Amino acid sequence: MEQKWPQQIWLVRHGQSAGNVARDAAEAAAHHIIDIEHRDVDTPLSQLGVQQSEALARWFAAMPPDQRPNVVLHSPYVRAAETARIVLHQMGGADTVQADERLREKEFGILDRLTPLGIAHKYPELHEQRSHVGKFYFRPPGGESWCDVILRLRSVLDTIVREHRGERVLVVAHQVIVNCFRYLLERMTEAEILEFDRAGDVPNCSVTSYRFDPARGTKGKLVVDLVNFIAPLEDSGTPVTVQKDVPAAPKA
């Protein structure tokens, strides 16, 4: 029977960006506005983000050529595109490289560039509504809920299954994209994916991966291989792996 899924899927959050740095600084200082000069789509990697991307690139390049990604799909946002470019350079390229707008960051609408304190101050009713509804279903004016993101990712999965079955696919995108892919591939509930989200951020340049296991089910399935694996920087110690070898059942 013909294999439906890719042989391997790696989900990667981009390296640390200038926006991540600005957000952390704004929240630490209890500011309402995140002071960043770029629009979200144009925000570049920070210096640390470049180093994280280079470490990830070395990790992929150390794999045997027939085990490395041969398909690279990435968000068109600069921070994700830069991360993908660094990895591709170290690997010597891939058979297919494609920017896909469906992998873009979640759209925040009128809440863009506001800290949680800023949202509560400027839009108290929206802040209350978000707290009541929860981030999975809450859609800010002009923005997206997690459900909206999941809808476009279902389309991405359809494309991956149609065009890249049996291949090795690397996806470089954003934190919410990684979480929402996990929701789909592991058939999670709202409560389950939000529990993972509450446990902490998806680390920058971390890897969550799935491999095809032909022995699972009647047609074979994707199973979790790594969750939030972090390739070590040159001067750091051993890599960090939060979870490994946990079975997952993908949606048909």
Side-chain angles (χ1 to χ4, degrees):
M1 185 172 294
E2 187 177 7
Q3 179 174 323
K4 171 184 176 181
W5 292 98
Q7 192 64 30
Q8 187 97 13
I9 296 179
W10 296 270
L11 305 175
V12 170
R13 185 188 179 193
H14 59 79
Q16 185 195 65
S17 71
N20 297 147
V21 175
R23 179 203 62 197
D24 291 346
E27 292 183 0
H31 291 166
H32 293 177
I33 302 291
I34 300 171
D35 184 15
I36 183 73
E37 62 177 311
H38 307 280
R39 63 176 185 156
D40 195 23
V41 66
D42 296 324
T43 302
L45 293 175
S46 67
Q47 182 177 356
L48 176 58
V50 171
Q51 295 172 345
Q52 292 168 334
S53 300
E54 290 171 345
L56 178 66
R58 289 190 296 270
W59 182 74
F60 276 117
M63 296 178 178
D66 63 351
Q67 295 180 23
R68 299 173 190 165
N70 70 311
V71 176
V72 177
L73 309 176
H74 64 84
S75 162
Y77 281 41
V78 168
R79 55 192 180 273
E82 286 182 342
T83 301
R85 177 186 57 78
I86 291 169
V87 172
L88 282 162
H89 176 75
Q90 189 76 23
M91 292 197 307
D95 297 335
T96 301
V97 180
Q98 182 67 53
D100 192 323
E101 76 286 345
R102 295 172 297 179
L103 297 173
R104 69 189 182 276
E105 175 65 284
K106 174 184 176 292
E107 296 179 0
F108 298 98
I110 65 172
L111 305 184
D112 189 35
R113 298 181 64 205
L114 293 176
T115 64
L117 188 62
I119 296 170
H121 175 77
K122 189 172 184 178
Y123 300 110
E125 291 183 357
L126 289 179
H127 177 73
E128 182 181 355
Q129 182 185 14
R130 182 180 184 276
S131 298
H132 176 69
V133 174
K135 66 168 64 177
F136 192 81
Y137 291 107
F138 174 72
R139 179 192 294 136
E144 293 179 300
S145 67
W146 279 35
C147 288
D148 296 321
V149 175
I150 288 166
L151 181 61
R152 52 178 158 97
L153 293 186
R154 290 187 187 277
S155 172
V156 174
L157 279 180
D158 286 345
T159 299
I160 289 174
V161 168
R162 183 178 66 250
E163 299 182 7
H164 303 301
R165 62 182 62 185
E167 297 189 288
R168 303 177 304 279
V169 180
L170 168 61
V171 176
V172 183
H174 309 271
Q175 174 168 236
V176 173
I177 299 300
V178 172
N179 279 332
C180 289
F181 262 126
R182 290 197 64 190
Y183 170 86
L184 291 171
L185 291 171
E186 299 174 46
R187 291 183 169 180
M188 291 186 183
T189 63
E190 174 195 3
E192 288 169 339
I193 191 56
L194 291 183
E195 181 179 355
F196 278 110
D197 182 64
R198 282 192 297 271
D201 287 346
V202 175
N204 291 112
C205 264
S206 64
V207 180
T208 294
S209 65
Y210 303 82
R211 55 182 170 79
F212 181 75
D213 185 348
R216 297 294 180 94
T218 58
K219 302 178 181 179
K221 293 180 179 180
L222 291 177
V223 297
V224 177
D225 192 33
L226 297 170
V227 174
N228 289 348
F229 167 90
I230 304 171
L233 301 179
E234 284 190 323
D235 59 348
S236 64
T238 56
V240 176
T241 305
V242 175
Q243 193 173 0
K244 186 176 181 180
D245 293 331
V246 180
K251 277 195 177 293

